[in-house]
Amino acid sequence: MSDPTAGGLENLLSEDRRFAPSPEFAAQANATADLYSWANADRPAFWAEQARELLSWSTPFEQVLDWSDAPVARWFADGTLNAAYNAVDRHVEAGDGDRVALHFEGEGGDTRTLTYADLQREVAKAANALGKLGVGTGDRVAIYLPLIPEAVVTMLACARIGAPHSVVFGGFSAEALYSRIVDAEAKLVVTADGGYRRGAASALKPAVDEALAKGETTVEHVLVVKRTGQDTDWTDGRDVWWADVVDTASDEHEPVAVEAEHPLFILYTSGTTGKPKGIFHTTGGYLTQAAYTHLNVFDLKPETDVYWCTADIGWVTGHTYVVYGPLVNGATQVIYEGTPDTPHRGRWWEIVQKYGVTILYTAPTAIRTCMKWGEEIPAGFDLSSLRVLGSVGEPINPEAWMWYRRVIGGDRTPIVDTWWQTETGAIMISPLPGVTEAKPGSAQVPLPGIAADVVDDEAHPVPDGGGGYLVIREPWPSMLRGIWGDLERYKDTYWSRFDGLYFAGDGAKKDADGDIWLLGRVDDVMNVSGHRLSTTEIESALVSHPWVAEAAVVGASDETTGQAVVAFVILRGDAGGGDQSADEVQTTLRNHVAKEIGPIAKPRQILVVAELPKTRSGKIMRRLLRDVAEHREVGDATTLADSSVMDLIAQGLAAPG
Ligand code: 6R9
């Protein structure tokens, strides 16, 4: 049994709804239960088998795992391969050149279809163009593009010549772009004149110009895709149009076979300090786990499925589950440039209907937003093609999970709640569809081949029912190989908290069955009068009230209790919450949390807001809400998807009533 004094975790752990796989789904599933015993019997041998089975090697490997230089792993190190060949060419050679690789849907409704044969030609041309612009094997390329086919093509062209890419999200500022260009010493920047967002052309190239004007850089050229046709400043000699160098290049190109441990990409992610960390991944191990997880967790059938992951390529989900995983597996997928509510709130469901999407992978924040908009919107579209739904990025509240399954999945589809990180490279903890009996709100079990655990302060595994920190005990193929240029920071950040264990930075709990529940970042765990309370826990309790569409909870410092719970809620327009006075909302919801979790978890304050501050990847920036709750000036908000949100919140709180 769980510790009754821990306060606040019982609500999630008493979640007793269960969804066993249907016999029909189980009968056709890629994954089977014996994967677990196979992997447990000999973990490295299991991964070696996946690597041989799922990838094409130019030089087959003999060595499997070299952990002698821990915590830097080497997987399949004496093998060579090319990532773009694996993602594209080999499908064409196998006779699948006519299969659609990308159904591109622009925000404005323009579309493009690229088959694997088309993609091969485009990638070969771009690789030749990169060569002409002086980029060689080992040089770094910064990519600052909207989600258009050229983004995928550029990443693969880099991979084809062995030039590690560093994708910088198109919503990041010139300052952020500059620091990433400098840190990676990029030789080339690939960008576009602009992209479409919320129904308007939004410029990108000016941010590149501004970034490169900030100081001396190693950048020699800027390659510019024409997307919007808007006016663009031009630096002769440095800037080149995509149409002039890529479209005119030869479509014959020999992929460069690189060593398995050759860096494939760098991706910057924020750490606890101001300086972003350049997480870097290498080729053989990363691709192995990307392909393996994509195949088994989503039950991909490349010949018949239409897969759609709504992530942008600017974050890791876009790398592993838009580019490498699906393409290495030969999938047909949808990519969409725009926002879910442009030009109307049914846009995503219209896309599902139009392409007959069968597998959908998105984030809890998007699901909660759709809940807020109301279920009559998806109900207006035919979603019967869907057969697997995935979630990533944050813990998914049980109510959002239930809504996702019922409204989007027609009460029929398995849901896979997938836990992983930029650092882990690929999915680590997730149910397997067709195998695992699902529990709403829990990522449940480490995948076959992954040794995850929950430990206490002294690194002892917690018993079932206990809570602590999520760790990984054994190296895995797609693990980060370090922080670019800063080995010490890598060791410090991930390997110094617990001796010999990878520290993920997430709080977690094991339930009575030993299943894992993620509780948010450790820094999101609050301590109220000595009781450990999870933000996720209280958010889930709030969202389980019919008035609430979305909630964010922070721990604000409090003279008496150490920290106090402060909640920000968005009310559901369609459920009566909007008609209540602020006092009524506050009292009702505080009592609701007390009832769901216990009086200790009652928010000190509940503030009704119209929007919550989120990053581009959909994570709520609780740090900013903490500033509001503690009456401080709001800190750095540059990574927000919509920077006006904090102003809106401040105005809303200042307004009377
Ligand atoms: C893939 C991605 C990593 C952090 C991670 C955790 C949170 C991601 C989750 C989840 C609970 C899930 N996270 N998936 N928490 N359940 N299914 O999101 O990478 O942007 O590096 O974020 O996201 O806190 O530590 P990244």
Side-chain angles (χ1 to χ4, degrees):
M1 275 307 295
S2 55
D3 174 10
T5 62
L9 296 164
E10 282 68 23
N11 179 43
L12 281 180
L13 296 186
S14 65
E15 169 62 60
D16 56 7
R17 288 168 289 199
R18 297 286 179 274
F19 295 88
S22 73
E24 300 76 45
F25 194 99
Q28 60 82 62
N30 291 346
T32 52
D34 56 5
L35 278 180
Y36 293 101
S37 44
W38 177 19
N40 278 336
D42 187 343
R43 207 179 298 281
F46 170 81
W47 284 118
E49 182 63 25
Q50 301 302 330
R52 293 191 180 101
E53 184 73 22
L54 299 172
L55 303 180
S56 302
W57 294 80
S58 308
T59 319
F61 60 88
E62 293 294 331
Q63 295 165 18
V64 177
L65 168 64
D66 177 359
W67 191 229
S68 59
D69 192 25
V72 180
R74 292 168 60 78
W75 283 89
F76 319 126
D78 60 345
T80 68
L81 75 171
N82 182 275
Y85 173 82
N86 272 277
V88 185
D89 301 61
R90 63 176 183 150
H91 305 309
V92 180
E93 288 171 15
D96 294 324
D98 291 341
R99 183 184 300 162
V100 173
L102 301 176
H103 286 295
F104 167 70
E105 177 86 18
E107 195 185 72
D110 54 318
T111 61
R112 275 170 70 188
T113 305
L114 277 88
T115 63
Y116 275 93
D118 295 332
L119 196 56
Q120 183 184 35
R121 282 187 291 271
E122 293 302 316
V123 173
K125 284 186 192 176
N128 281 321
L130 294 186
K132 263 189 262 166
L133 294 172
V135 179
T137 305
D139 290 337
R140 273 82 61 203
V141 175
I143 300 177
Y144 189 67
L145 281 168
L147 186 45
I148 55 178
E150 286 81 356
V152 178
V153 168
T154 303
M155 289 166 76
L156 293 171
C158 289
R160 204 175 171 91
I161 60 177
H165 52 71
S166 162
V167 180
V168 180
F169 188 81
F172 280 159
S173 63
E175 183 63 47
L177 177 60
Y178 172 69
S179 66
R180 285 156 175 76
I181 288 172
V182 169
D183 189 76
E185 298 173 290
K187 205 165 182 184
L188 174 76
V189 182
V190 185
T191 189
D193 50 357
Y196 292 98
R197 237 190 127 67
R198 300 190 190 285
S202 153
L204 272 178
K205 172 79 167 29
V208 178
D209 293 336
E210 198 186 322
L212 295 180
K214 282 184 189 291
E216 205 48 39
T217 70
T218 42
V219 171
E220 292 172 6
H221 290 288
V222 178
L223 177 58
V224 189
V225 177
K226 186 174 275 187
R227 167 70 182 138
T228 56
Q230 61 204 114
D231 279 345
T232 301
D233 285 346
W234 207 252
T235 303
D236 286 327
R238 184 194 73 182
D239 299 350
V240 280
W241 284 112
W242 179 279
D244 292 340
V245 291
V246 179
D247 292 348
T248 57
S250 156
D251 61 8
E252 302 269 329
H253 181 273
E254 191 60 35
V256 177
V258 296
E259 290 179 359
E261 285 299 338
H262 186 79
L264 179 62
F265 65 84
I266 307 171
L267 185 59
Y268 288 84
T269 178
S270 48
T272 40
T273 68
K275 189 175 185 291
K277 302 176 280 195
I279 304 298
F280 78 93
H281 285 282
T282 58
T283 309
Y286 170 80
L287 291 181
T288 299
Q289 199 172 326
Y292 159 82
T293 51
H294 185 256
L295 201 64
N296 288 293
V297 174
F298 300 111
D299 192 49
L300 178 83
K301 306 285 192 282
E303 299 80 15
T304 47
D305 275 316
V306 179
Y307 165 87
W308 182 23
C309 167
T310 63
D312 188 88
I313 50 145
W315 67 306
V316 72
T317 304
H319 283 59
T320 311
Y321 299 106
V322 175
V323 180
Y324 293 107
L327 296 176
V328 166
N329 287 335
T332 292
Q333 67 175 321
V334 173
I335 59 173
Y336 171 55
E337 177 189 27
T339 47
D341 52 352
T342 307
H344 58 80
R345 290 177 167 183
R347 189 66 200 276
W348 275 16
W349 316 120
E350 185 179 71
I351 291 173
V352 168
Q353 172 178 293
K354 173 173 174 185
Y355 295 101
V357 172
T358 58
I359 304 170
L360 178 69
Y361 191 29
T362 191
T365 178
I367 298 161
R368 291 191 301 257
T369 301
C370 293
M371 285 171 75
K372 175 175 71 184
W373 290 341
E375 64 184 79
E376 63 286 356
I377 293 175
F381 298 89
D382 179 4
L383 307 182
S384 62
S385 55
L386 289 168
R387 62 179 203 93
V388 179
L389 301 177
S391 172
V392 60
E394 280 202 289
I396 177 165
N397 328 84
E399 289 323 311
W401 194 104
M402 292 297 295
W403 190 93
Y404 195 22
R405 181 181 154 101
R406 181 176 58 81
V407 177
I408 306 305
D411 250 332
R412 166 188 86 243
T413 57
I415 294 185
V416 287
D417 174 8
T418 62
W419 179 90
W420 60 294
Q421 310 175 294
T422 305
E423 292 87 342
T424 69
I427 298 171
M428 303 288 279
I429 305 177
S430 168
L432 285 176
V435 176
T436 315
E437 185 182 57
K439 295 178 181 175
S442 172
Q444 296 187 283
V445 270
L447 289 181
I450 298 302
D453 202 353
V454 182
V455 300
D456 65 17
D457 264 319
E458 273 79 53
H460 302 304
V462 304
D464 289 350
Y469 307 96
L470 184 72
V471 296
I472 318 289
R473 294 192 173 281
E474 301 289 338
W476 62 100
S478 65
M479 69 192 292
L480 74 166
R481 298 305 195 259
I483 294 176
W484 192 254
D486 200 345
L487 185 63
E488 281 317 303
R489 192 175 176 198
Y490 167 61
K491 291 180 176 169
D492 248 34
T493 311
Y494 304 104
W495 299 92
S496 67
R497 179 71 177 78
F498 302 111
D499 197 28
L501 301 178
Y502 172 84
F503 170 57
D506 279 29
K509 182 102 181 167
K510 282 184 204 164
D511 68 14
D513 303 323
D515 280 344
I516 296 175
W517 295 70
L518 277 311
L519 300 173
R521 300 293 300 182
V522 178
D523 39 19
D524 290 340
V525 175
M526 298 169 291
N527 194 317
V528 179
S529 306
H531 295 273
R532 193 191 275 188
L533 293 173
S534 124
T535 52
T536 308
E537 176 72 19
I538 301 174
E539 287 165 7
S540 282
L542 286 165
V543 174
S544 75
H545 191 281
W547 291 351
V548 179
E550 188 155 20
V553 164
V554 298
S557 58
D558 186 285
E559 267 180 30
T560 31
T561 56
Q563 281 189 310
V565 180
V566 176
F568 295 78
V569 296
I570 301 178
L571 298 179
R572 265 162 108 145
D574 57 353
D579 311 334
Q580 312 296 325
S581 72
D583 270 358
E584 182 68 25
V585 169
Q586 165 120 321
T587 313
T588 307
L589 294 183
R590 289 183 79 230
N591 290 338
H592 179 70
V593 173
K595 179 171 114 314
E596 289 289 306
I597 303 178
I600 179 70
K602 260 191 183 178
R604 182 184 72 187
Q605 224 181 336
I606 297 181
L607 304 163
V608 176
V609 294
E611 291 293 344
L612 290 170
K614 286 177 196 156
T615 63
R616 296 281 183 166
S617 64
K619 293 189 203 329
I620 296 170
M621 290 192 74
R622 294 188 178 74
R623 174 170 63 77
L624 300 179
L625 293 174
R626 213 172 293 130
D627 289 342
V628 173
E630 294 179 346
H631 311 291
R632 257 195 315 275
E633 192 161 323
V634 172
D636 180 18
T638 49
T639 56
L640 282 182
D642 177 353
S643 53
S644 62
V645 166
M646 288 315 297
D647 297 338
L648 265 178
I649 291 176
Q651 282 162 16
L653 298 183

